[in-house]
Amino acid sequence: MRGHERIVRLAVGAAVLALCVGGGMARADESGPVVAGKGISQMWCVNCHVVAPTQARGSDQTPSFAAIAARPDTTAEKLHNFLAQPHGMPDFRLGGKDIDNVVAYILSLKP
Ligand code: HEC
């Protein structure tokens, strides 16, 4: 039965690989930071913001990331400056690389 198990694993691995490659091709340029930023957002920001267009529930007190991205005056620099300071939760602050990734993700939502 061991051989059979290994074939199943290989098949799952190939499917995951195919998904990764496919996703990378869809967004050839920015996929790394955007994907990383999305992961961070879904972990740390999702309780207060609608971080993805597919997310149904959010708070009325905060703008969704898509709404932030859609504003004409939203720039990478502004987002960087804002996120360099804690907000929402006093003790939570993103590190430099995480800020880059989250900024890339938010800007990827620009319509
Ligand atoms: C505890 C709730 C909370 C969490 C968690 C939170 N935010 Fe916020 N966020 C807010 C509130 C409230 C505002 C609006 C008031 C303000 O500017 O502080 C805001 C505003 C913002 C703005 C500025 C929007 C504007 O109007 O210009 C950005 C950008 C932002 N959040 C990004 C993030 C990111 C990225 C994360 C995750 C790393 C995050 N937020 C996590 C509550 C939160």
Side-chain angles (χ1 to χ4, degrees):
M1 278 297 119
R2 287 220 139 257
H4 177 69
E5 204 174 284
R6 181 182 289 174
I7 288 171
V8 170
R9 269 210 205 126
L10 276 177
V12 170
V16 169
L17 190 67
L19 276 178
C20 294
V21 171
M25 271 156 63
R27 280 180 182 273
D29 39 349
E30 293 282 14
S31 84
V34 169
V35 169
K38 185 173 189 181
I40 294 164
S41 301
Q42 285 176 333
M43 195 144 72
W44 295 107
C45 323
V46 74
N47 285 336
C48 303
H49 293 272
V50 172
V51 304
T54 50
Q55 180 187 333
R57 200 172 48 86
S59 158
D60 293 341
Q61 316 298 317
T62 61
S64 71
F65 282 10
I68 295 169
R71 288 189 208 131
D73 65 342
T74 293
T75 60
E77 197 191 351
K78 273 199 171 180
L79 289 176
H80 264 277
N81 290 339
F82 182 83
L83 293 175
Q85 302 299 321
H87 81 281
M89 298 178 289
D91 293 334
F92 179 72
R93 190 190 308 205
L94 290 172
K97 185 82 179 150
D98 289 343
I99 294 180
D100 288 348
N101 291 339
V102 168
V103 167
Y105 173 61
I106 294 176
L107 292 178
S108 79
L109 300 173
K110 258 190 194 298

